[in-house]
Amino acid sequence: TQVWLFEVDSQEIKREIGLDKNNRVVFALPDKNYPRGLFGDSPVSFNLEDMEVITKEEFEAMWDTII
């Protein structure tokens, strides 16, 4: 996975989208197998300086292409 998109609410990851190098979706979580997503139960921390922020509308538009 090359890029991860996260929907965050109150510092908690709610939904995740994983994209490959061609911007094709390889993960869209949570789902029935990963109800908390891949990072929901992970102690991984992220540095905000290393991230690019997208709008809620951009995330929703990507999510809507998956479902």
Side-chain angles (χ1 to χ4, degrees):
T1 303
Q2 295 286 316
V3 174
W4 283 98
L5 304 175
F6 299 110
E7 176 186 42
V8 179
D9 181 24
S10 301
Q11 304 300 318
E12 183 176 276
I13 296 172
K14 296 295 184 182
R15 294 186 290 179
E16 312 164 25
I17 302 171
L19 306 173
D20 68 11
K21 65 182 178 180
N22 297 312
N23 285 329
R24 290 182 298 218
V25 175
V26 291
F27 292 104
L29 303 168
D31 65 13
K32 67 177 185 158
N33 295 320
Y34 296 95
R36 294 203 20 94
L38 290 179
F39 292 98
D41 290 327
S42 173
V44 174
S45 62
F46 299 96
N47 184 352
L48 191 56
E49 294 173 1
D50 296 333
M51 297 185 164
E52 179 181 335
V53 177
I54 64 172
T55 66
K56 177 178 179 65
E57 292 78 17
E58 290 172 307
F59 185 93
E60 289 295 338
M62 179 64 74
W63 188 264
D64 287 346
T65 66
I66 299 165
I67 325 183

